[in-house]
Amino acid sequence: LTRGREAFVSQHVGDLDTAETLKFYRETIAHLIDIVGVKPDLITSDLHPDYRSSQMAEEFGLPVVRVQHHAAHVAAVAAEAGLAGPALGLALDGHGLGDDGGAWGGELLVVDGAKHRRLGHLAQLPLPGGDRAAREPWRMGAGVLAAIDRPDLVSTFFPDRPLAGPVADRVASGADRLSTTSLGRLFDAAAALLGVRAVQDYEGQAAMELEALVDEPVALAGGFTLNDGVLSFSPLLARFVHARPDARTGASLFHGTLIEGFAALARHGAAATGLTAIALGGGCLMNRVLAEGLSAALTQSNLTPLLARRLPANDGGLSFGQAVLARRAFSEI
């Protein structure tokens, strides 16, 4: 909730998938409006029409501004840092509806006023089963095996997952065409291929367990490619498949190569725009190894990393970025 130049951000309510959570969400909104003492003139929500928060935005009977998920992440960090003018940023998370209707999550964006432009992104990865892949990392692993033409290895990597073979076959045949640029799903794929986690009990479990295994991030030489703003870690994933490193070694290689790859993507954006401050937002920046390593790599490249400090980097701070962009959009009408 904003009041003039002030912004009041509630606690992070989380997924709105139960009646109890929805009730608490409405109570939180009413409480915040009451204690701040303002009546909203404008509502903003995520671009995704299926989110409960997007649907609830219509309940107020006020104008609604829809804001793209990753643009809001970049705007939140940039605004917290007091950055004036266009903002260049990396938005790294699990999922968000993209401008093209796709599943985004590893994005290089420039946010200028209320508008944004996509300058680069992670290479597409198969997303077998759609949302189920976020709960079952083995699906991401099976998709990667199919993508690198090794579906025959599915039974070796996932012997206790009887559906892994059919899933890989559907990806290989083109029957399952769902894909994503999400870094969160890339974490899941790596965790599955390294034997860290096949099924998640809660969101982000595979990524957190992979992070916990890192001794010292080490980049794999030739572990990524960057062409026209598309960043691919296929060489690194192929190394996991063919060399079968232990989980601890693989986790260190994964994080080190991610840091080097995203630093290269940020340099690409800086060269294209002339902007030298890089806002780093999204749930994957809750990963301390990635956040600190990427910040150091950007600093070494004479770029200025901007990290979320007063608000969470994940969706707990997303509403601030949405409010920033919605206010700009409303002022331009």
Side-chain angles (χ1 to χ4, degrees), residues 84-326:
L88 181 63
L90 288 169
L92 310 176
D93 66 6
H95 173 75
L97 182 67
D99 297 328
D100 59 1
W104 289 10
E107 313 305 318
L108 173 69
L109 303 175
V110 60
V111 177
D112 189 0
K115 297 180 173 59
H116 65 273
R117 183 162 51 98
R118 192 188 198 193
L119 300 180
H121 56 85
L122 274 177
Q124 297 281 350
L125 279 178
L127 188 67
D131 289 344
R132 290 194 66 177
R135 300 188 294 273
E136 301 174 352
W138 67 262
R139 290 178 176 270
M140 294 303 303
V144 167
L145 289 171
I148 65 172
D149 298 323
R150 293 309 307 265
D152 56 301
L153 294 178
V154 166
S155 59
T156 300
F157 278 85
F158 309 111
D160 57 344
R161 302 292 161 186
L163 288 177
V167 163
D169 290 342
R170 283 179 57 81
V171 172
S173 68
D176 191 332
R177 297 180 180 275
L178 294 176
S179 62
T180 183
T181 61
S182 165
L183 178 56
R185 299 293 79 78
L186 179 61
F187 264 95
D188 292 343
L193 293 172
L194 292 170
V196 174
R197 172 65 52 179
V199 177
Q200 302 199 89
D201 298 320
Y202 52 86
E203 186 177 354
Q205 183 179 12
M208 285 188 278
E209 291 179 351
L210 197 62
E211 178 192 3
L213 291 171
V214 177
D215 291 320
E216 186 70 30
V218 178
L220 174 68
F224 69 89
T225 61
L226 179 59
N227 296 304
D228 296 326
V230 178
L231 176 63
S232 173
F233 291 97
S234 289
L236 174 66
L237 295 175
R239 172 69 175 267
F240 290 168
V241 171
H242 299 303
R244 301 292 299 271
D246 64 86
R248 190 169 293 277
T249 300
S252 296
L253 283 173
F254 183 70
H255 282 78
T257 310
L258 282 189
I259 290 166
E260 190 171 280
F262 279 111
L265 182 59
R267 290 193 295 270
H268 165 80
T273 62
L275 301 173
T276 58
I278 315 292
L280 304 175
C284 292
L285 271 302
M286 303 296 281
N287 181 315
R288 183 173 179 174
V289 175
L290 176 61
E292 292 183 352
L294 186 51
S295 294
L298 294 177
T299 300
Q300 290 172 4
S301 298
N302 295 318
L303 300 174
T304 303
L306 304 176
L307 290 168
R309 300 293 187 186
R310 300 172 66 186
L311 293 173
N314 64 6
D315 286 357
L318 188 72
S319 63
F320 179 53
Q322 291 171 332
V324 168
L325 293 180

